[in-house]
Each structure stands twice: as structure tokens, then as C-alpha cells.
Coordinates of all heavy atoms in Angstrom, one line a residue:
M167 N -26.1 -14.4 17.1 CA -25.2 -14.3 15.9 C -24.9 -15.6 15.3 O -24.3 -16.5 16.0 CB -23.9 -13.6 16.3 CG -23.0 -13.2 15.2 SD -21.8 -12.1 15.9 CE -20.7 -12.0 14.7
A168 N -25.3 -15.9 14.1 CA -25.2 -17.2 13.5 C -23.8 -17.3 13.0 O -23.2 -16.4 12.4 CB -26.2 -17.4 12.4
D169 N -23.2 -18.5 13.1 CA -21.9 -18.8 12.5 C -22.1 -19.0 11.0 O -23.1 -19.6 10.5 CB -21.4 -20.2 13.0 CG -20.6 -20.0 14.3 OD1 -20.3 -18.8 14.6 OD2 -20.3 -21.0 15.0
M170 N -21.2 -18.4 10.3 CA -21.2 -18.6 8.8 C -20.7 -20.0 8.5 O -19.8 -20.5 9.2 CB -20.3 -17.6 8.2 CG -20.9 -16.2 8.1 SD -19.8 -15.0 7.3 CE -19.9 -15.6 5.6
S171 N -21.3 -20.5 7.5 CA -20.8 -21.8 7.0 C -19.4 -21.8 6.6 O -18.9 -20.8 6.0 CB -21.7 -22.3 5.8 OG -21.0 -23.3 5.1
P172 N -18.6 -22.8 6.9 CA -17.2 -22.8 6.5 C -17.0 -22.6 5.0 O -16.0 -22.1 4.5 CB -16.6 -24.2 6.9 CG -17.6 -24.7 7.9 CD -18.9 -24.0 7.6
L173 N -18.1 -22.9 4.2 CA -18.0 -22.8 2.8 C -17.9 -21.3 2.4 O -17.3 -21.0 1.4 CB -19.4 -23.3 2.2 CG -19.3 -24.0 0.9 CD1 -18.3 -25.1 0.8 CD2 -20.7 -24.5 0.5
F174 N -18.4 -20.4 3.2 CA -18.4 -19.0 2.8 C -17.3 -18.2 3.5 O -17.1 -17.1 3.2 CB -19.8 -18.4 3.1 CG -20.9 -19.1 2.3 CD1 -21.8 -19.9 3.0 CD2 -21.0 -18.9 1.0 CE1 -22.8 -20.5 2.2 CE2 -22.0 -19.5 0.2 CZ -22.9 -20.3 0.9
R175 N -16.7 -18.8 4.5 CA -15.6 -18.1 5.2 C -14.4 -18.2 4.4 O -14.0 -19.2 3.8 CB -15.4 -18.8 6.5 CG -14.6 -18.0 7.5 CD -14.5 -18.7 8.8 NE -15.8 -18.9 9.4 CZ -16.1 -20.0 10.1 NH1 -15.3 -21.0 10.2 NH2 -17.3 -20.1 10.6
R176 N -13.7 -17.0 4.3 CA -12.4 -17.0 3.6 C -11.4 -17.8 4.2 O -11.3 -17.8 5.4 CB -11.9 -15.5 3.5 CG -12.4 -14.8 2.3 CD -11.9 -13.4 2.3 NE -10.5 -13.2 2.7 CZ -9.8 -12.1 2.6 NH1 -10.4 -11.0 2.3 NH2 -8.6 -12.1 3.0
R177 N -10.7 -18.6 3.4 CA -9.6 -19.4 4.0 C -8.3 -18.6 3.9 O -8.0 -17.9 2.9 CB -9.4 -20.7 3.1 CG -10.6 -21.6 3.2 CD -10.5 -22.7 2.3 NE -9.4 -23.5 2.5 CZ -8.9 -24.4 1.6 NH1 -9.6 -24.6 0.5 NH2 -7.9 -25.2 1.9
P178 N -7.6 -18.6 5.0 CA -6.3 -17.8 5.0 C -5.4 -18.5 3.9 O -5.4 -19.7 3.7 CB -5.7 -18.0 6.4 CG -6.5 -19.1 7.0 CD -7.8 -19.2 6.3
P179 N -4.5 -17.6 3.3 CA -3.7 -18.1 2.2 C -2.9 -19.4 2.6 O -2.7 -20.3 1.8 CB -2.7 -16.9 1.9 CG -3.6 -15.7 2.3 CD -4.4 -16.2 3.5
Q180 N -2.4 -19.4 3.9 CA -1.6 -20.6 4.2 C -2.3 -21.9 4.3 O -1.8 -23.0 4.3 CB -0.8 -20.3 5.5 CG -1.7 -20.1 6.7 CD -2.0 -18.6 6.9 OE1 -2.0 -17.8 6.0 NE2 -2.3 -18.2 8.2
D181 N -3.7 -21.8 4.2 CA -4.5 -23.0 4.2 C -4.9 -23.4 2.7 O -5.6 -24.4 2.5 CB -5.8 -22.8 5.0 CG -5.6 -22.8 6.4 OD1 -4.5 -23.1 6.9 OD2 -6.5 -22.4 7.2
R182 N -4.4 -22.7 1.8 CA -4.6 -23.0 0.4 C -3.5 -23.9 -0.2 O -2.5 -24.0 0.5 CB -4.6 -21.7 -0.5 CG -5.5 -20.5 0.1 CD -6.9 -20.8 0.2 NE -7.6 -21.1 -1.0 CZ -8.2 -20.1 -1.8 NH1 -8.2 -18.9 -1.4 NH2 -8.8 -20.5 -2.9
L183 N -3.7 -24.4 -1.4 CA -2.6 -25.2 -2.0 C -2.6 -24.9 -3.5 O -3.6 -25.0 -4.1 CB -2.8 -26.7 -1.7 CG -1.7 -27.6 -2.5 CD1 -0.3 -27.3 -2.0 CD2 -2.1 -29.0 -2.3
V184 N -1.4 -24.5 -4.0 CA -1.3 -24.3 -5.4 C -0.5 -25.5 -6.0 O 0.5 -25.9 -5.4 CB -0.5 -23.0 -5.7 CG1 -0.2 -22.8 -7.2 CG2 -1.4 -21.8 -5.3
T185 N -1.0 -26.0 -7.1 CA -0.3 -27.1 -7.7 C 0.1 -26.7 -9.2 O -0.8 -26.2 -9.9 CB -1.2 -28.4 -7.8 OG1 -1.6 -28.7 -6.5 CG2 -0.4 -29.6 -8.4
L186 N 1.4 -26.8 -9.5 CA 1.8 -26.6 -10.9 C 2.1 -27.9 -11.5 O 2.9 -28.7 -11.1 CB 3.1 -25.8 -10.8 CG 3.8 -25.5 -12.2 CD1 3.0 -24.7 -13.1 CD2 5.2 -24.9 -12.0
I187 N 1.3 -28.1 -12.6 CA 1.5 -29.4 -13.4 C 2.3 -29.0 -14.6 O 1.9 -28.1 -15.4 CB 0.1 -29.9 -13.8 CG1 -0.7 -30.2 -12.6 CG2 0.3 -31.2 -14.6 CD1 -2.2 -30.6 -12.8
R188 N 3.5 -29.6 -14.7 CA 4.4 -29.3 -15.7 C 5.1 -30.5 -16.4 O 4.8 -31.6 -16.0 CB 5.5 -28.3 -15.1 CG 6.2 -28.9 -14.0 CD 7.4 -28.0 -13.6 NE 8.3 -28.0 -14.7 CZ 9.2 -27.0 -15.0 NH1 9.3 -26.0 -14.1 NH2 9.9 -27.0 -16.0
K189 N 6.0 -30.2 -17.3 CA 6.8 -31.3 -17.9 C 8.2 -30.8 -18.0 O 8.4 -29.6 -18.1 CB 6.2 -31.7 -19.2 CG 6.2 -30.7 -20.3 CD 5.6 -31.2 -21.6 CE 5.5 -30.1 -22.7 NZ 4.8 -30.5 -23.9
P190 N 9.2 -31.7 -18.1 CA 10.6 -31.3 -18.2 C 10.8 -30.5 -19.5 O 10.2 -30.8 -20.6 CB 11.3 -32.6 -18.2 CG 10.4 -33.6 -17.6 CD 9.0 -33.1 -18.0
G191 N 11.7 -29.6 -19.5 CA 12.2 -28.9 -20.7 C 11.1 -28.0 -21.3 O 11.1 -27.7 -22.5
C192 N 10.2 -27.5 -20.5 CA 9.1 -26.7 -21.0 C 9.3 -25.2 -20.5 O 9.3 -25.0 -19.3 CB 7.8 -27.2 -20.4 SG 6.4 -26.1 -20.5
H193 N 9.6 -24.3 -21.5 CA 9.9 -22.9 -21.1 C 8.7 -22.2 -20.5 O 8.8 -21.5 -19.6 CB 10.3 -22.2 -22.4 CG 11.7 -22.7 -22.9 ND1 12.8 -22.6 -22.1 CD2 12.0 -23.2 -24.1 CE1 13.8 -23.2 -22.8 NE2 13.3 -23.6 -24.0
L194 N 7.5 -22.5 -21.0 CA 6.3 -21.9 -20.4 C 6.1 -22.4 -19.0 O 5.7 -21.6 -18.1 CB 5.0 -22.3 -21.2 CG 4.7 -21.5 -22.4 CD1 3.4 -22.0 -23.1 CD2 4.6 -20.0 -22.1
C195 N 6.5 -23.7 -18.7 CA 6.4 -24.2 -17.4 C 7.4 -23.5 -16.4 O 7.1 -23.2 -15.3 CB 6.7 -25.7 -17.4 SG 5.6 -26.7 -18.4
D196 N 8.6 -23.2 -17.0 CA 9.6 -22.5 -16.2 C 9.1 -21.1 -15.8 O 9.2 -20.6 -14.7 CB 10.9 -22.4 -16.9 CG 11.6 -23.8 -17.1 OD1 11.3 -24.7 -16.4 OD2 12.4 -23.9 -18.0
D197 N 8.5 -20.4 -16.8 CA 7.9 -19.1 -16.6 C 6.8 -19.2 -15.5 O 6.7 -18.3 -14.7 CB 7.3 -18.5 -17.9 CG 8.4 -18.2 -18.9 OD1 9.6 -18.2 -18.6 OD2 8.0 -18.0 -20.1
A198 N 5.9 -20.2 -15.6 CA 4.8 -20.3 -14.7 C 5.4 -20.6 -13.3 O 4.8 -20.0 -12.3 CB 3.9 -21.5 -15.1
Q199 N 6.4 -21.3 -13.2 CA 7.0 -21.6 -11.9 C 7.5 -20.4 -11.2 O 7.4 -20.2 -10.0 CB 8.1 -22.7 -12.0 CG 8.6 -23.1 -10.6 CD 9.5 -24.4 -10.6 OE1 9.3 -25.2 -11.5 NE2 10.4 -24.4 -9.7
V200 N 8.1 -19.5 -12.0 CA 8.6 -18.3 -11.4 C 7.5 -17.5 -10.8 O 7.6 -17.0 -9.6 CB 9.4 -17.4 -12.5 CG1 9.6 -16.0 -12.0 CG2 10.6 -18.1 -12.9
V201 N 6.4 -17.4 -11.5 CA 5.2 -16.6 -11.0 C 4.6 -17.3 -9.7 O 4.3 -16.7 -8.7 CB 4.1 -16.5 -12.0 CG1 2.9 -15.8 -11.5 CG2 4.7 -15.7 -13.2
V202 N 4.5 -18.6 -9.8 CA 3.9 -19.4 -8.7 C 4.8 -19.2 -7.4 O 4.3 -19.0 -6.3 CB 3.7 -20.9 -9.0 CG1 3.4 -21.7 -7.8 CG2 2.6 -21.1 -10.0
E203 N 6.1 -19.4 -7.6 CA 7.0 -19.2 -6.5 C 7.0 -17.8 -5.9 O 7.0 -17.7 -4.6 CB 8.5 -19.5 -6.9 CG 8.8 -21.0 -7.1 CD 10.2 -21.2 -7.6 OE1 10.9 -20.2 -8.1 OE2 10.7 -22.3 -7.5
K204 N 6.9 -16.8 -6.7 CA 6.8 -15.4 -6.2 C 5.5 -15.2 -5.4 O 5.6 -14.7 -4.3 CB 6.9 -14.5 -7.4 CG 6.9 -13.0 -7.0 CD 7.0 -12.1 -8.2 CE 7.2 -10.6 -7.9 NZ 6.4 -10.1 -6.8
V205 N 4.4 -15.5 -6.0 CA 3.1 -15.2 -5.4 C 2.9 -16.0 -4.1 O 2.6 -15.5 -3.1 CB 1.9 -15.5 -6.4 CG1 0.6 -15.4 -5.7 CG2 2.0 -14.5 -7.6
C206 N 3.2 -17.3 -4.2 CA 3.1 -18.2 -3.0 C 4.1 -17.8 -1.9 O 3.7 -17.8 -0.8 CB 3.3 -19.6 -3.4 SG 1.9 -20.3 -4.4
G207 N 5.3 -17.4 -2.3 CA 6.3 -16.9 -1.4 C 5.8 -15.7 -0.7 O 5.9 -15.5 0.6
D208 N 5.3 -14.7 -1.4 CA 4.8 -13.5 -0.9 C 3.6 -13.7 0.1 O 3.5 -13.0 1.1 CB 4.3 -12.5 -2.0 CG 5.4 -11.9 -2.8 OD1 6.6 -12.1 -2.4 OD2 5.0 -11.3 -3.9
L209 N 2.7 -14.7 -0.2 CA 1.5 -14.9 0.6 C 1.6 -16.0 1.6 O 0.7 -16.2 2.4 CB 0.3 -15.2 -0.4 CG 0.0 -14.1 -1.4 CD1 -1.1 -14.6 -2.3 CD2 -0.5 -12.8 -0.7
G210 N 2.7 -16.7 1.6 CA 2.9 -17.8 2.5 C 2.0 -19.0 2.1 O 1.6 -19.8 3.0
V211 N 1.7 -19.2 0.8 CA 0.9 -20.3 0.4 C 1.8 -21.4 0.0 O 2.7 -21.3 -0.8 CB 0.0 -19.8 -0.9 CG1 -0.7 -21.0 -1.5 CG2 -0.9 -18.7 -0.5
P212 N 1.5 -22.6 0.5 CA 2.2 -23.8 0.1 C 1.9 -24.1 -1.4 O 0.8 -23.9 -1.9 CB 1.7 -24.9 1.0 CG 0.4 -24.5 1.5 CD 0.4 -23.0 1.5
W213 N 3.0 -24.7 -2.1 CA 2.7 -25.1 -3.5 C 3.5 -26.3 -3.7 O 4.5 -26.7 -3.0 CB 3.1 -23.9 -4.4 CG 4.5 -23.6 -4.6 CD1 5.3 -22.9 -3.8 CD2 5.4 -24.1 -5.7 NE1 6.6 -22.8 -4.3 CE2 6.7 -23.6 -5.4 CE3 5.2 -24.9 -6.8 CZ2 7.8 -23.8 -6.2 CZ3 6.3 -25.2 -7.6 CH2 7.5 -24.6 -7.3
E214 N 3.1 -27.0 -4.8 CA 3.8 -28.2 -5.2 C 3.8 -28.3 -6.7 O 3.1 -27.6 -7.4 CB 3.0 -29.5 -4.7 CG 1.6 -29.5 -5.2 CD 0.7 -30.7 -4.7 OE1 1.2 -31.5 -3.9 OE2 -0.4 -30.8 -5.1
Q215 N 4.7 -29.1 -7.2 CA 4.7 -29.3 -8.7 C 4.6 -30.8 -9.0 O 5.0 -31.6 -8.2 CB 5.9 -28.7 -9.3 CG 7.3 -29.2 -8.8 CD 8.4 -28.5 -9.6 OE1 8.3 -28.2 -10.8 NE2 9.5 -28.2 -8.9
K216 N 3.9 -31.1 -10.0 CA 3.7 -32.5 -10.5 C 4.2 -32.6 -11.9 O 3.9 -31.7 -12.7 CB 2.3 -32.9 -10.4 CG 1.8 -32.9 -8.9 CD 0.5 -33.5 -8.8 CE 0.1 -33.6 -7.3 NZ -1.2 -34.1 -7.1
D217 N 4.9 -33.6 -12.2 CA 5.5 -33.9 -13.6 C 4.4 -34.7 -14.3 O 4.1 -35.8 -14.0 CB 6.8 -34.6 -13.4 CG 7.5 -34.9 -14.8 OD1 6.8 -34.8 -15.8 OD2 8.7 -35.2 -14.8
I218 N 4.0 -34.1 -15.4 CA 2.9 -34.8 -16.2 C 3.4 -36.1 -16.8 O 2.6 -36.9 -17.1 CB 2.4 -33.8 -17.3 CG1 1.0 -34.2 -17.8 CG2 3.3 -33.6 -18.4 CD1 0.3 -33.2 -18.5
T219 N 4.7 -36.2 -17.0 CA 5.2 -37.4 -17.7 C 5.3 -38.6 -16.7 O 5.5 -39.7 -17.1 CB 6.7 -37.2 -18.2 OG1 7.6 -36.9 -17.2 CG2 6.7 -36.0 -19.3
E220 N 5.0 -38.3 -15.4 CA 5.1 -39.4 -14.4 C 3.7 -39.7 -13.9 O 3.6 -40.5 -13.0 CB 6.0 -38.9 -13.2 CG 7.4 -38.7 -13.6 CD 8.2 -38.2 -12.5 OE1 7.7 -37.9 -11.4 OE2 9.4 -38.0 -12.7
D221 N 2.7 -39.2 -14.5 CA 1.3 -39.4 -14.0 C 0.3 -39.5 -15.2 O 0.0 -38.5 -15.8 CB 0.9 -38.3 -13.0 CG -0.5 -38.5 -12.4 OD1 -1.4 -39.0 -13.1 OD2 -0.6 -38.2 -11.2
R222 N -0.1 -40.7 -15.5 CA -0.9 -41.0 -16.6 C -2.2 -40.2 -16.6 O -2.7 -39.7 -17.6 CB -1.2 -42.5 -16.7 CG -2.0 -42.9 -17.9 CD -1.0 -43.1 -19.1 NE -1.7 -42.7 -20.3 CZ -1.1 -42.4 -21.5 NH1 0.2 -42.5 -21.6 NH2 -1.8 -42.1 -22.5
E223 N -2.9 -40.1 -15.4 CA -4.1 -39.4 -15.3 C -4.0 -37.9 -15.6 O -4.7 -37.3 -16.4 CB -4.7 -39.6 -13.9 CG -6.1 -39.1 -13.8 CD -6.7 -39.4 -12.4 OE1 -6.4 -40.5 -11.8 OE2 -7.5 -38.6 -11.9
L224 N -2.9 -37.3 -15.0 CA -2.6 -35.9 -15.3 C -2.3 -35.7 -16.8 O -2.7 -34.7 -17.4 CB -1.5 -35.4 -14.4 CG -1.7 -35.3 -13.0 CD1 -0.5 -34.8 -12.3 CD2 -2.9 -34.3 -12.7
H225 N -1.5 -36.6 -17.3 CA -1.2 -36.6 -18.7 C -2.4 -36.6 -19.6 O -2.6 -35.7 -20.5 CB -0.3 -37.8 -19.1 CG 0.2 -37.8 -20.5 ND1 -0.6 -38.2 -21.5 CD2 1.4 -37.4 -21.1 CE1 0.0 -38.1 -22.7 NE2 1.2 -37.6 -22.4
D226 N -3.3 -37.5 -19.4 CA -4.5 -37.6 -20.2 C -5.4 -36.4 -20.0 O -6.0 -35.9 -21.0 CB -5.3 -38.9 -19.8 CG -4.6 -40.1 -20.2 OD1 -3.6 -40.0 -21.0 OD2 -5.0 -41.2 -19.8
Q227 N -5.4 -35.8 -18.8 CA -6.3 -34.7 -18.6 C -5.8 -33.3 -19.1 O -6.5 -32.5 -19.6 CB -6.6 -34.6 -17.1 CG -7.7 -33.6 -16.7 CD -8.1 -33.8 -15.2 OE1 -7.6 -34.6 -14.5 NE2 -9.0 -32.9 -14.8
Y228 N -4.5 -33.1 -18.9 CA -3.9 -31.8 -19.1 C -2.9 -31.7 -20.2 O -2.3 -30.6 -20.4 CB -3.3 -31.3 -17.8 CG -4.3 -31.1 -16.7 CD1 -4.2 -31.9 -15.5 CD2 -5.3 -30.2 -16.8 CE1 -5.1 -31.7 -14.5 CE2 -6.2 -30.0 -15.7 CZ -6.1 -30.8 -14.6 OH -7.0 -30.6 -13.6
W229 N -2.6 -32.7 -21.0 CA -1.4 -32.7 -21.9 C -1.4 -31.5 -22.8 O -0.3 -30.9 -23.0 CB -1.4 -34.0 -22.7 CG -0.2 -34.0 -23.6 CD1 -0.3 -33.9 -25.0 CD2 1.2 -34.1 -23.3 NE1 1.0 -33.9 -25.5 CE2 1.9 -34.0 -24.5 CE3 1.9 -34.2 -22.1 CZ2 3.3 -34.1 -24.5 CZ3 3.2 -34.3 -22.1 CH2 3.9 -34.2 -23.3
E230 N -2.5 -31.1 -23.3 CA -2.6 -30.0 -24.3 C -2.6 -28.6 -23.7 O -2.6 -27.6 -24.4 CB -3.7 -30.2 -25.3 CG -3.6 -31.5 -26.1 CD -4.7 -31.6 -27.2 OE1 -5.5 -30.7 -27.3 OE2 -4.6 -32.6 -27.9
Q231 N -2.6 -28.6 -22.3 CA -2.7 -27.3 -21.7 C -1.5 -26.9 -20.8 O -1.5 -25.9 -20.2 CB -3.9 -27.3 -20.7 CG -5.2 -27.5 -21.5 CD -6.4 -27.5 -20.5 OE1 -6.4 -28.0 -19.4 NE2 -7.5 -27.0 -21.0
I232 N -0.5 -27.7 -20.8 CA 0.7 -27.5 -19.9 C 1.3 -26.2 -20.2 O 1.5 -25.8 -21.3 CB 1.7 -28.7 -20.2 CG1 1.2 -30.0 -19.6 CG2 3.1 -28.4 -19.6 CD1 0.9 -29.9 -18.2
P233 N 1.7 -25.5 -19.2 CA 1.6 -25.8 -17.7 C 0.2 -25.4 -17.3 O -0.5 -24.5 -17.8 CB 2.6 -24.9 -17.1 CG 2.7 -23.7 -18.0 CD 2.5 -24.2 -19.4
V234 N -0.3 -26.2 -16.3 CA -1.6 -25.9 -15.6 C -1.4 -25.6 -14.2 O -0.5 -26.2 -13.5 CB -2.5 -27.2 -15.8 CG1 -3.8 -27.0 -15.0 CG2 -2.7 -27.5 -17.2
V235 N -2.1 -24.6 -13.7 CA -2.0 -24.3 -12.3 C -3.4 -24.6 -11.7 O -4.4 -24.2 -12.2 CB -1.7 -22.8 -12.1 CG1 -1.8 -22.4 -10.6 CG2 -0.3 -22.5 -12.6
L236 N -3.4 -25.3 -10.6 CA -4.6 -25.6 -9.8 C -4.5 -24.8 -8.5 O -3.4 -24.7 -7.9 CB -4.6 -27.1 -9.5 CG -4.5 -28.1 -10.6 CD1 -4.6 -29.6 -10.0 CD2 -5.5 -27.9 -11.7
V237 N -5.6 -24.4 -8.0 CA -5.7 -23.8 -6.7 C -6.7 -24.6 -5.9 O -7.9 -24.8 -6.3 CB -6.2 -22.3 -6.8 CG1 -6.5 -21.8 -5.4 CG2 -5.2 -21.4 -7.5
D238 N -6.2 -25.2 -4.8 CA -7.0 -26.2 -4.0 C -7.6 -27.3 -4.9 O -8.8 -27.6 -4.8 CB -8.2 -25.4 -3.3 CG -7.6 -24.4 -2.3 OD1 -6.5 -24.6 -1.8 OD2 -8.2 -23.3 -2.2
G239 N -6.9 -27.8 -5.9 CA -7.3 -28.9 -6.7 C -8.2 -28.5 -7.9 O -8.6 -29.4 -8.6
V240 N -8.5 -27.2 -8.0 CA -9.4 -26.8 -9.1 C -8.6 -26.0 -10.1 O -7.8 -25.1 -9.7 CB -10.5 -25.9 -8.6 CG1 -11.4 -25.4 -9.7 CG2 -11.4 -26.7 -7.6
Q241 N -8.8 -26.3 -11.4 CA -8.0 -25.6 -12.4 C -8.2 -24.1 -12.3 O -9.3 -23.6 -12.3 CB -8.3 -26.1 -13.8 CG -7.4 -25.5 -14.9 CD -7.5 -26.2 -16.2 OE1 -7.9 -27.3 -16.3 NE2 -7.1 -25.4 -17.3
H242 N -7.1 -23.4 -12.2 CA -7.1 -21.9 -12.1 C -6.7 -21.3 -13.5 O -7.4 -20.4 -14.0 CB -6.0 -21.4 -11.1 CG -5.8 -19.9 -11.2 ND1 -6.7 -19.0 -10.8 CD2 -4.7 -19.3 -11.6 CE1 -6.1 -17.8 -10.9 NE2 -5.0 -17.9 -11.5
T243 N -5.7 -21.8 -14.2 CA -5.3 -21.3 -15.4 C -4.4 -22.3 -16.1 O -4.0 -23.3 -15.5 CB -4.5 -20.0 -15.3 OG1 -4.4 -19.4 -16.6 CG2 -3.2 -20.1 -14.7
F244 N -4.1 -22.1 -17.4 CA -3.1 -22.9 -18.1 C -2.3 -22.0 -19.1 O -2.7 -20.9 -19.3 CB -3.8 -24.1 -18.8 CG -4.8 -23.7 -19.9 CD1 -4.4 -23.6 -21.2 CD2 -6.1 -23.4 -19.6 CE1 -5.3 -23.2 -22.2 CE2 -7.0 -23.0 -20.5 CZ -6.6 -22.9 -21.9
W245 N -1.2 -22.5 -19.6 CA -0.3 -21.9 -20.5 C 0.5 -20.7 -19.8 O 1.6 -20.8 -19.5 CB -0.9 -21.4 -21.8 CG -1.3 -22.6 -22.7 CD1 -0.9 -23.9 -22.6 CD2 -2.3 -22.6 -23.7 NE1 -1.5 -24.6 -23.6 CE2 -2.4 -23.8 -24.3 CE3 -3.1 -21.6 -24.2 CZ2 -3.2 -24.2 -25.3 CZ3 -3.9 -21.9 -25.3 CH2 -4.0 -23.2 -25.8
R246 N -0.2 -19.6 -19.6 CA 0.4 -18.4 -19.0 C -0.2 -18.1 -17.7 O -1.5 -18.0 -17.6 CB 0.4 -17.2 -19.9 CG 1.1 -17.5 -21.2 CD 1.5 -16.3 -21.9 NE 2.2 -16.6 -23.2 CZ 3.5 -16.8 -23.3 NH1 4.2 -16.8 -22.2 NH2 4.0 -17.1 -24.5
V247 N 0.6 -17.9 -16.7 CA 0.1 -17.6 -15.3 C 0.2 -16.1 -15.1 O 1.2 -15.5 -15.2 CB 0.9 -18.3 -14.2 CG1 0.2 -18.0 -12.9 CG2 0.9 -19.8 -14.5
N248 N -1.0 -15.4 -14.8 CA -1.0 -14.0 -14.5 C -0.8 -13.8 -13.0 O -1.6 -14.3 -12.2 CB -2.3 -13.4 -15.0 CG -2.4 -12.0 -14.7 OD1 -2.6 -11.5 -13.6 ND2 -2.3 -11.2 -15.8
E249 N 0.2 -13.1 -12.7 CA 0.6 -12.9 -11.3 C -0.6 -12.3 -10.5 O -0.9 -12.7 -9.4 CB 1.8 -12.0 -11.1 CG 2.3 -11.8 -9.7 CD 3.5 -11.0 -9.6 OE1 4.3 -10.9 -10.5 OE2 3.7 -10.4 -8.5
D250 N -1.1 -11.2 -11.0 CA -2.2 -10.5 -10.3 C -3.4 -11.4 -10.1 O -4.1 -11.4 -9.1 CB -2.6 -9.2 -11.0 CG -1.5 -8.2 -11.0 OD1 -0.6 -8.2 -10.0 OD2 -1.4 -7.3 -11.9
R251 N -3.8 -12.1 -11.1 CA -5.0 -13.0 -11.1 C -4.8 -14.1 -10.1 O -5.7 -14.5 -9.3 CB -5.2 -13.6 -12.5 CG -6.5 -14.3 -12.6 CD -6.9 -14.6 -14.0 NE -8.0 -15.6 -14.0 CZ -7.9 -16.9 -14.2 NH1 -6.7 -17.4 -14.5 NH2 -8.9 -17.7 -14.1
L252 N -3.6 -14.7 -10.0 CA -3.3 -15.8 -9.1 C -3.3 -15.2 -7.7 O -3.9 -15.8 -6.7 CB -1.9 -16.4 -9.4 CG -1.5 -17.5 -8.4 CD1 -2.5 -18.7 -8.4 CD2 -0.1 -18.1 -8.8
R253 N -2.7 -14.0 -7.5 CA -2.7 -13.4 -6.1 C -4.1 -13.1 -5.7 O -4.5 -13.4 -4.5 CB -1.9 -12.1 -6.2 CG -1.6 -11.4 -4.9 CD -0.8 -10.2 -5.1 NE 0.5 -10.5 -5.8 CZ 1.6 -10.8 -5.1 NH1 1.6 -11.0 -3.8 NH2 2.7 -11.1 -5.8
K254 N -5.0 -12.7 -6.6 CA -6.4 -12.4 -6.2 C -7.1 -13.7 -5.9 O -7.9 -13.7 -4.9 CB -7.0 -11.7 -7.4 CG -8.5 -11.2 -7.2 CD -8.9 -10.4 -8.4 CE -10.3 -9.7 -8.2 NZ -11.2 -10.2 -7.3
A255 N -6.9 -14.7 -6.6 CA -7.5 -16.0 -6.4 C -7.2 -16.6 -5.0 O -8.0 -17.2 -4.3 CB -7.2 -17.0 -7.4
L256 N -6.0 -16.2 -4.5 CA -5.5 -16.8 -3.2 C -5.9 -15.9 -2.0 O -5.8 -16.3 -0.9 CB -4.0 -17.0 -3.3 CG -3.5 -18.1 -4.2 CD1 -2.0 -18.0 -4.4 CD2 -4.0 -19.4 -3.7
T257 N -6.3 -14.7 -2.3 CA -6.6 -13.7 -1.2 C -8.1 -13.4 -1.2 O -8.6 -12.8 -0.2 CB -5.8 -12.5 -1.3 OG1 -6.0 -11.9 -2.6 CG2 -4.3 -12.8 -1.1
D258 N -8.9 -13.7 -2.2 CA -10.3 -13.4 -2.2 C -11.1 -14.4 -1.4 O -10.7 -15.6 -1.4 CB -10.9 -13.3 -3.6 CG -10.6 -11.9 -4.2 OD1 -10.1 -11.0 -3.4 OD2 -11.0 -11.6 -5.3

């Protein structure tokens, strides 16, 4: 029985990382954070937030898309976070 490559093996949710890139005073960012907190809390997924005003590289890359959600460092969505879609991305 051959071992599957780690590339193809599902990673448990607690080994994933969600990053919310946001800016202060942003209502869409607040809405996105509610969804991220709920989904990550339900699944036991760690998450972090980064302030776009404190990181030039993030600012240049994502300014027109805030809020942006990354899953394992890869852009998942921007502007509006869909709870079901985020949950599926973390469990598939």
C-alpha cells in the first residue's frame, strides 16, 4: 500500500491558517471578522488579522480589495466572506 503524497492528503482544520487583512474603521472588515471568528471557532482553525495600514506590501497588493481573507497564505476571497464557502475551503 503506497503512502499518499502529503500534497494530496487532507490537512485537518487545526493545521490550517486563516488570515484576515483589514483596515481600521472598515464596516466590511468588521462583517468579515464576524464570519471568520465563527467559522474558525466552530472548526478549531487558528486565524490572525493583519492591518493593511501597517504593512506596505499588503497595502500595495490588496488595498482595493479590503477585506481580504487568505487560507494558508492563498487568497480565498475579498470584500464579502461567505460562511459556507469558507467552511468548505477549510474542510475539503
